[in-house]
Amino acid sequence: MAQHLRKQLVVVGHGMVGHRFVESAISRGLTETYDITVVGEERRPAYDRVALTSYFEVGADALSLLPGGRYDDPRVTLRLGSEVVAVSPRQRIVTLASGEDLHYDELVLATGAAPFVPPVPGADLANVFVYRTIEDLDAIRDASRKGRVGAVIGGGLLGLEAANALHQLGVETHVVELAPRLMAVQIDDLGGKTLSQHINRLGLTIHTGAMTEAILGDRKGRVDRLALKDRNPLEVDLVVFSAGIRPRDALARAAGLDVADRGGVLVDGSLQTSEEHIWAIGECAAVDGRMYGLVAPGYDMAEIVVDRLLGGGASFTGADMSTKLKLLGVDVASFGDAHGETEGALELTYQDAVSGIYKKLVISEDGKRLLGGVLVGDAAAYGLLRPMVSSGMELPDNPEELILPSARGGADMELPDDMQVCSCNDVTKADIKQAAADGTTTRAGSTCGSCRTVVKKIVEDYFASQGVVVDRSLCEHFRMTRQELFDVVAVHGYSRFDDIVEAHGSGRGCDICKPAVASILASLLNQHVLAPGNRQLQDTNDAYLGNLQKNGTYSVVPRIPGGEITPDKLIVIGQVAQDFGLYTKITGGQRIDLFGARMEDLPAIWKRLVDAGMESGHAYGKSLRTVKSCVGSTWCRYGVQDSVGLAIELELRYRGLRSPHKLKGGVSGCARECAEARSKDFGIIATEKGWNLYVCGNGGAIPAHAQLLAGDLSKDDLVRYLDRFLMYYIRTADRLQRTSYWLDAVDGGLDRVREIVIDDALGLGAELEAAMERHVASYFDEWRATIEDPEKLARFVSFVNAPGTPDPNITFREERGQIQAGTLDGPVALGSTIAVGAPR
């Protein structure tokens, strides 16, 4: 009996859309009949180009859509770093640059698009780049180390993303846009003006209505000027073209496939090309002559071709071109008929010039349907508004409530079940409710993330409708939120966990509520974390005032306010590291970490540092870590304010401040932002008039840019508002909730925080300031307090019946001239104190 031969499917291109096609082919069973070979020109697997700007913060691995570099299905072969140079439709063969031929039964072209570089003289000079791949960003970063000023040609979506990248690198950035406003395709004149105001405040310079005539170079062939028509030239060191994209259709053209007049492989609604067994998806495809340059339509195309190959009849009928993103920390969204081109369309607008917020709704002539809109500065309503356009649901009687701030109204509408909530992955409200009922998952919110707030509400509302209470309790021992528990402790004046749990909880507590209560008590009373009654509440790090490492040792991190340190203190740190055999490393927070300290050595190490005038850096606690700074006006020729002095003042003011999660700050002396202040929980950037205060940013796995709370502040106003902000966060945030997630959870978002902190809408300003003054007045160094207290010192031994005996299970190895953590031998519980010979 002849063996049945499996069909061969070749995918050319492994970008986001090509990867989505393969994922869908695997999940829907196409690999039961097809072997799939994916040929990717780049040497890395597919990665998230939508989040490309975050590469400098999170790295390539965090952007990867296929971190392992291979698919779990063995019937899929991924060939990276390979280029297809020819397609032979009659023979059904693709030829690789290596000369190898691959046979196919079906061919999917997912070659994407390439950056458009206008025919500008000088585009071939050194330090002229495009913005498309990780390699492009690496090249831009290398050039930025020598270049001080850069220009981005293009003020659309991609251009502003590129400008953000330059800004992150500390380059003085110009944005040159031919149109009269930024993002001319997506937003209107007032939206463009509002966006420009935001970006100008960050120190970028916008040139709209400007035509680039030439890029001029020096004698070495490197960029030194950008010539603009009827304007003075810009002195620049590097140029980035980000003026749109063009479909990569060269393979199709050479193979004789039909292409659209404006480029792109011509396909019909089935995504089939003019050749029966060749399909095109994503940015290289032109459906009935139109190219779609967003990821969501590409994902739709991928799903449709998989359906067709499985014998289905799905068809591409158009795409939602709505867009929501954060550009240079500014929320911008555009959806539906954003420009009001529908006959008889009416417009509703809301503008707050002080806060930099602009919102517009385009509604039908009869006032019953939402047709589109623009949101700049506050796009929180996007998740609700965009689906209303596609569903055609009727507007409320007062549609203006949809764009008013929550404190002045704001509609709470019930969405119909058939409404598409996630356009990236075509997920409806009904799909989300069904997944909640079945305990399954959808892809909703996993691509651009703009619908996550709505998805969360749908899930919570579903469970509530089923009689299931969405439990927001701290834990089984306290049937209240952390905020409610904070208020209870503050009102009753408790100082002991036992009293709190007896009066308002149950049981003996757990690893969730004990550290939470300890944090609340520390925030309110500023007690020593090792004080009687507190000690048993702490986790391992707080319990020993140091971070536990993987081999059972601890790290020691002295505070270095603002990153400024004297030579004498540096010498002491070096001597301590030598004497105790510690590993040393300079951190991203401008401090020096000392690793490998044994528990019994910690007090002696602290004493040496304290005697030299240093103190605990609280690297072990949920508290203020650092306030990072650049050198500012004291040394830098670009600095406009003393950033080091302010950073030191703030770090010393807020040191030891216990909070729901760790806190980090930053102060930059000018708009070049070398201290990376906008990646911090609070960031301050100097202006000619004073200081701009940004809040609720963070780095880490899911970075968030801090947002502007107030601008051009005096130092006194800055400190006052920052006192209020920090204390308001400490009072109201959930357990282990970073400021960025807390802001997302605040009803009304940044507007509401601004009302409370700046406008004092609740009359809490004096109370919050007084709470901070109590903290400042009661601060003490935990290291000094510990080494001066024999009772606290008694806990720093590895073996209670042999205090001088080091733990033999701790091992080290050597690398690059320093110790490294070895493997912890034996079953000793980390962070515990045991007796020699005792049962383990």
Side-chain angles (χ1 to χ4, degrees):
M1 182 176 179
Q3 184 180 5
H4 176 69
L5 294 177
R6 290 173 55 79
K7 294 182 179 179
Q8 302 298 311
L9 191 155
V10 174
V11 181
V12 182
H14 194 239
M16 295 180 71
V17 173
H19 172 68
R20 180 57 171 268
F21 173 85
V22 176
E23 279 193 320
S24 180
I26 294 171
S27 65
R28 296 175 65 176
L30 189 61
T31 53
E32 297 300 319
T33 52
Y34 283 90
D35 288 331
I36 301 178
T37 300
V38 186
V39 182
E41 192 172 350
E42 292 189 56
R43 294 190 175 276
R44 63 180 81 241
Y47 52 89
D48 187 356
R49 292 190 198 274
V50 175
L52 188 60
T53 305
S54 66
Y55 167 64
F56 294 135
E57 297 178 84
V58 303
D61 290 344
L63 295 180
S64 179
L65 301 178
L66 193 65
R70 64 175 61 188
Y71 292 95
D72 292 336
D73 192 326
R75 296 163 293 192
V76 178
T77 301
L78 178 59
R79 302 181 62 163
L80 298 174
S82 298
E83 181 183 2
V84 174
V85 294
V87 176
S88 302
R90 291 187 180 181
Q91 298 173 294
R92 295 195 200 172
I93 287 175
V94 298
T95 302
L96 306 184
S98 63
E100 181 183 358
D101 289 336
L102 299 178
H103 166 75
Y104 67 83
D105 294 291
E106 302 290 339
L107 175 65
V108 177
L109 299 177
T111 50
F116 171 64
V117 178
V120 175
D124 57 347
L125 289 171
N127 283 8
V128 176
F129 307 96
V130 294
Y131 181 85
R132 183 68 176 174
T133 68
I134 286 177
E135 284 68 30
D136 292 334
L137 265 68
D138 283 336
I140 292 170
R141 177 166 55 188
D142 290 343
S144 73
R145 290 172 178 146
K146 297 180 180 179
R148 299 187 306 272
V149 184
V152 175
I153 299 177
L157 285 174
L158 293 175
L160 294 181
E161 289 282 2
N164 189 21
L166 288 185
H167 185 60
Q168 287 180 6
L169 292 169
V171 175
E172 182 183 332
T173 305
H174 296 263
V175 178
V176 179
E177 167 58 38
L178 180 61
R181 64 177 181 273
L182 298 176
M183 289 184 66
V185 174
Q186 289 82 15
I187 61 179
D188 58 11
D189 287 338
L190 277 175
K193 181 179 179 181
T194 305
L195 178 59
S196 293
Q197 289 171 346
H198 276 287
I199 295 175
N200 281 325
R201 287 175 190 165
L202 298 176
L204 286 77
T205 305
I206 307 299
H207 308 268
T208 53
M211 176 182 288
T212 301
E213 288 191 322
I215 303 171
L216 307 176
D218 59 18
R219 295 179 181 178
K220 295 182 179 180
R222 294 175 303 197
V223 174
D224 67 358
R225 283 174 299 157
L226 186 68
L228 304 178
K229 185 177 181 180
D230 299 327
R231 303 193 186 193
N232 294 327
L234 302 177
E235 294 186 4
V236 297
D237 303 303
L238 59 99
V239 171
V240 178
F241 278 105
S242 195
I245 55 175
R246 295 293 184 269
R248 297 185 64 191
D249 56 13
L251 271 178
R253 289 177 184 272
L257 304 183
D258 290 347
V259 294
D261 292 340
R262 300 183 64 181
V265 186
L266 191 63
V267 295
D268 56 18
S270 71
L271 285 312
Q272 193 171 69
T273 69
S274 54
E275 289 287 341
E276 182 180 0
H277 297 283
I278 302 180
W279 314 77
I281 58 177
E283 293 168 329
C284 71
V287 186
D288 296 327
R290 180 180 178 184
M291 174 200 175
Y292 294 85
L294 297 177
V295 68
Y299 283 175
D300 288 343
M301 295 179 196
E303 297 286 350
I304 288 168
V305 173
V306 170
D307 183 78
R308 287 280 178 162
L309 293 175
L310 288 169
S315 185
F316 187 85
T317 57
D320 182 359
M321 298 300 286
S322 302
T323 303
K324 176 183 179 290
L325 66 165
K326 191 181 287 287
L327 294 166
L328 292 147
V330 184
D331 283 322
V332 180
S334 169
F335 54 95
D337 181 12
H339 295 290
E341 296 174 351
T342 303
E343 185 175 356
L346 306 173
E347 294 185 357
L348 284 173
T349 60
Y350 167 81
Q351 186 174 19
D352 181 347
V354 175
S355 300
I357 294 173
Y358 171 74
K359 303 179 184 181
K360 180 181 78 173
L361 296 183
V362 179
I363 62 177
S364 59
E365 188 173 12
D366 60 7
K368 293 183 177 180
R369 288 186 58 242
L370 180 63
L371 303 178
V374 173
L375 306 171
V376 179
D378 176 11
Y382 174 81
L384 170 68
L385 297 173
R386 185 204 54 75
M388 290 177 64
V389 175
S390 56
S391 70
M393 70 178 290
E394 190 165 322
L395 286 166
D397 293 336
N398 299 305
E400 68 276 6
E401 292 185 355
L402 293 168
I403 54 174
L404 287 175
S406 57
R408 294 172 54 182
D412 185 12
M413 300 185 62
E414 179 68 24
L415 306 179
D417 281 355
D418 61 354
M419 176 177 283
Q420 184 191 61
V421 174
C422 177
S423 61
C424 292
N425 298 290
D426 190 21
V427 181
T428 65
K429 178 182 176 181
D431 295 331
I432 296 169
K433 290 169 63 178
Q434 189 62 49
D438 298 340
T440 56
T441 61
T442 71
R443 291 178 181 268
S446 64
T447 303
C448 76
S450 63
C451 60
R452 287 175 185 166
T453 302
V454 176
V455 172
K456 180 175 182 287
K457 186 176 187 304
I458 291 171
V459 173
E460 291 181 348
D461 288 349
Y462 168 78
F463 283 122
S465 72
Q466 301 301 304
V468 178
V469 177
V470 181
D471 190 357
R472 296 180 176 85
S473 299
L474 182 64
C475 69
E476 62 182 295
H477 303 105
F478 288 97
R479 296 300 179 187
M480 59 183 78
T481 65
R482 180 193 176 277
Q483 179 182 353
E484 292 166 341
L485 184 59
F486 187 103
D487 292 338
V488 165
V489 174
V491 169
H492 290 277
Y494 293 119
S495 60
R496 297 175 65 251
F497 176 83
D498 291 346
D499 295 335
I500 300 169
V501 75
E502 181 180 350
H504 303 281
S506 62
R508 301 174 63 183
C510 63
D511 291 341
I512 294 176
C513 62
K514 285 183 176 180
V517 169
S519 172
I520 291 171
L521 291 174
S523 297
L524 288 169
L525 305 176
N526 205 17
Q527 293 178 335
H528 198 297
V529 292
L530 301 184
N534 285 347
R535 191 167 54 208
Q536 70 272 24
L537 305 181
Q538 306 302 331
D539 62 22
T540 300
N541 290 337
D542 270 320
Y544 292 94
L545 308 183
N547 281 329
L548 179 66
Q549 305 304 316
K550 69 178 185 178
N551 68 338
T553 61
Y554 290 81
S555 65
V556 176
V557 186
R559 184 170 300 287
I560 302 176
E564 182 180 86
I565 189 168
T566 65
D568 287 343
K569 289 180 180 179
L570 275 176
I571 290 169
V572 170
I573 290 174
Q575 290 173 338
V576 167
Q578 282 186 333
D579 293 348
F580 290 89
L582 306 179
Y583 169 85
T584 57
K585 185 181 186 303
I586 296 175
T587 74
Q590 298 180 335
R591 303 198 291 191
I592 300 174
D593 275 6
L594 307 174
F595 289 86
R598 295 176 180 270
M599 183 200 301
E600 60 270 19
D601 289 337
L602 287 173
I605 294 172
W606 297 337
K607 187 175 189 310
R608 293 272 297 275
L609 296 172
V610 168
D611 288 346
M614 287 175 272
E615 62 183 16
S616 168
H618 291 94
Y620 47 82
K622 297 295 183 283
S623 58
L624 178 78
R625 298 291 178 83
T626 66
V627 180
K628 186 176 180 179
S629 73
C630 64
V631 295
S633 59
T634 52
W635 287 95
C636 180
R637 64 184 184 277
Y638 298 108
V640 294
Q641 304 285 356
D642 179 10
S643 54
V644 178
L646 181 61
I648 292 172
E649 182 177 338
L650 295 178
E651 186 163 342
L652 294 179
R653 182 174 183 80
Y654 301 131
R655 58 186 171 177
L657 181 64
R658 295 283 169 158
S659 53
H661 210 296
K662 62 186 176 185
L663 289 169
K664 295 183 179 181
V667 183
S668 286
C670 73
R672 293 168 69 87
E673 238 284 73
C674 295
E676 301 168 331
R678 294 197 59 210
S679 64
K680 310 300 182 188
D681 297 281
F682 61 90
I684 296 106
I685 301 177
T687 71
E688 295 287 350
K689 299 178 181 179
W691 304 94
N692 286 348
L693 173 59
Y694 297 84
V695 295
C696 300
N698 62 258
I702 306 177
H705 271 91
Q707 300 181 49
L708 182 66
L709 185 66
D712 292 331
L713 299 173
S714 67
K715 190 175 76 170
D716 289 344
D717 285 342
L718 170 72
V719 173
R720 180 166 67 253
Y721 294 150
L722 192 48
D723 284 355
R724 293 180 183 179
F725 165 76
L726 291 173
M727 279 302 176
Y728 183 55
Y729 160 68
I730 289 170
R731 282 192 176 192
T732 59
D734 201 358
R735 163 185 169 271
L736 299 180
Q737 188 176 44
R738 290 296 298 267
T739 54
S740 60
Y741 291 98
W742 167 74
L743 182 63
D744 290 340
V746 172
D747 188 15
L750 184 65
D751 286 341
R752 185 56 176 164
V753 173
R754 186 179 288 114
E755 290 171 356
I756 293 168
V757 172
I758 307 298
D759 303 332
D760 199 14
L762 298 181
L764 292 174
E767 184 179 335
L768 297 173
E769 292 171 34
M772 184 62 77
E773 289 299 338
R774 285 194 296 274
H775 162 76
V776 174
S778 61
Y779 170 77
F780 61 91
D781 175 28
E782 290 175 346
W783 284 355
R784 178 184 291 275
T786 301
I787 60 181
E788 292 177 349
D789 187 335
E791 183 180 349
K792 294 184 178 67
L793 278 178
R795 68 187 284 103
F796 290 89
V797 294
S798 294
F799 302 103
V800 293
N801 58 350
T805 305
D807 187 345
N809 298 296
I810 292 174
T811 62
F812 300 96
R813 57 188 176 84
E814 186 171 323
E815 188 174 324
R816 296 186 298 276
Q818 291 204 82
I819 61 164
Q820 302 287 340
T823 303
L824 183 66
D825 298 325
V828 176
L830 298 184
S832 64
T833 302
I834 65 172
V836 175
R840 294 181 177 178

